Amino acid sequence: MTGRPTLTVSTDDPTPPYEQLRRQLSDLIEYGVLGPGERLPPLRQLASDLGLAVGTVARAYRELEVAGLIISRRGGGTRVAVNPRRASEEVLHERAAIFVRDARLLGADDEEIKSAVTRALGR
Amino acid sequence: MTGRPTLTVSTDDPTPPYEQLRRQLSDLIEYGVLGPGERLPPLRQLASDLGLAVGTVARAYRELEVAGLIISRRGGGTRVAVNPRRASEEVLHERAAIFVRDARLLGADDEEIKSAVTRALGR
DNA sequence: CAAGTTGTCTCAAGTAATTGACACAAAGGC
DNA sequence: GCCTTTGTGTCAATTACTTGAGACAACTTG
């Protein structure tokens, strides 16, 4: 499976396009599908492929750059950061937040959530 | 775990609040946490709990009603539909769409996707 | 060095979502 | 029957997002 990742944007999804893009690229980097130094499509190409304005794609890239996942340079294109800081704490905290949100959605209180984790830890 | 589900809306998430709400309620119904006939919070209460305008919560409810998941009646409140049509085809197609989207994001082409499913089927 | 590529920035216009307030209609509770 | 609750609808104002175009700066390629 050597094909390049296919990014998509759905107009049915009320999530703003720049955010849909940001999430997909963030996932690709987190899972290592896009490795350090790997090149991302040029703004204009990705924009035309997805039917978006350049500024919209630029916003997704900008937010990923602020997060330290990619690096953009004029004329040099955009590449995955050498060491996209994400493997450790950031992802852990994000996952913890998602877990707590989901648990609360299910109706669990703080005690139940903590004890469920303790149990999953195997005591 | 008898607590009531805790719905949340994040202002950090660019996803519009009405959509965040719609997804959470849809999930709760799909997973059966909210059973048929069960009452949802009144518009004004949920709106004030989440710091939203009544119209925003109303939009989430309206979309869920159009989808056949809940039923709203003036003065009677809003309840989970007797038979929220969702268990069968709709969920299946949604999951298939998500799988295909994820697979393409990973760089798989149509053939690879189909053969991966065949393989997962145990031949 | 010259030309092309690519990211950055600005701008005005249009669309979508949210808010807060209000009025109204239908159902439930006493 | 009356009052309260609750969903529905409208409205104007505000904010966020997107678009399309254009200009510019920095890097790459030949």
Side-chain angles (χ1 to χ4, degrees):
Chain A
M1 192 168 65
T2 54
R4 283 188 60 76
T6 302
L7 299 163
T8 56
V9 166
S10 166
T11 51
D12 290 344
D13 190 342
T15 305
Y18 83 88
E19 174 69 7
Q20 293 185 42
L21 248 186
R22 193 198 60 76
R23 288 180 186 165
Q24 291 174 47
L25 290 169
S26 178
D27 286 347
L28 286 174
I29 295 171
E30 177 178 338
Y31 295 141
V33 179
L34 293 180
E38 192 160 349
R39 178 116 187 243
L40 273 59
L43 286 182
R44 292 167 179 78
Q45 178 189 318
L46 189 50
S48 97
D49 286 352
L50 298 177
L52 299 175
V54 174
T56 305
V57 178
R59 173 157 185 188
Y61 278 15
R62 193 187 331 132
E63 300 210 354
L64 289 165
E65 182 164 27
V66 169
L69 295 186
I70 65 178
I71 297 174
S72 293
R73 282 181 323 177
R74 285 180 180 170
T78 302
R79 299 177 179 276
V80 177
V82 197
N83 185 9
R85 4 182 172 6
R86 185 143 177 79
S88 54
E89 285 192 82
E90 194 178 331
V91 175
L92 173 63
H93 290 144
E94 181 182 288
R95 298 299 175 87
I98 290 174
F99 166 65
V100 167
R101 178 185 166 286
D102 288 349
R104 287 189 173 141
L105 187 58
L106 289 170
D109 62 25
D110 291 13
E111 267 317 308
E112 290 168 328
I113 294 175
K114 284 200 283 189
S115 91
V117 171
T118 302
R119 193 163 174 181
L121 288 172
R123 206 75 42 190
Chain B
M1 192 168 65
T2 53
R4 283 189 61 75
T6 302
L7 299 164
T8 56
V9 166
S10 166
T11 50
D12 290 345
D13 189 343
T15 305
Y18 83 87
E19 175 68 6
Q20 294 186 41
L21 249 185
R22 193 198 60 75
R23 288 179 186 167
Q24 291 174 46
L25 290 169
S26 178
D27 286 347
L28 285 174
I29 294 170
E30 177 178 338
Y31 296 140
V33 178
L34 292 180
E38 194 160 347
R39 177 116 188 244
L40 271 61
L43 287 181
R44 291 166 180 80
Q45 178 189 318
L46 189 51
S48 99
D49 285 352
L50 298 177
L52 299 176
V54 174
T56 305
V57 179
R59 174 158 186 189
Y61 278 14
R62 193 187 331 131
E63 301 210 352
L64 289 166
E65 182 164 26
V66 169
L69 296 186
I70 66 178
I71 296 175
S72 292
R73 285 181 320 178
R74 285 180 179 169
T78 302
R79 300 176 177 278
V80 176
V82 197
N83 186 10
R85 0 185 172 6
R86 186 146 176 77
S88 53
E89 286 192 80
E90 194 178 330
V91 175
L92 173 62
H93 290 144
E94 182 182 288
R95 298 297 175 88
I98 291 173
F99 166 64
V100 168
R101 178 186 167 283
D102 288 348
R104 288 190 172 139
L105 187 58
L106 289 169
D109 62 23
D110 291 11
E111 268 316 308
E112 290 169 327
I113 294 175
K114 284 200 283 188
S115 90
V117 171
T118 302
R119 193 163 175 181
L121 287 173
R123 205 71 42 187

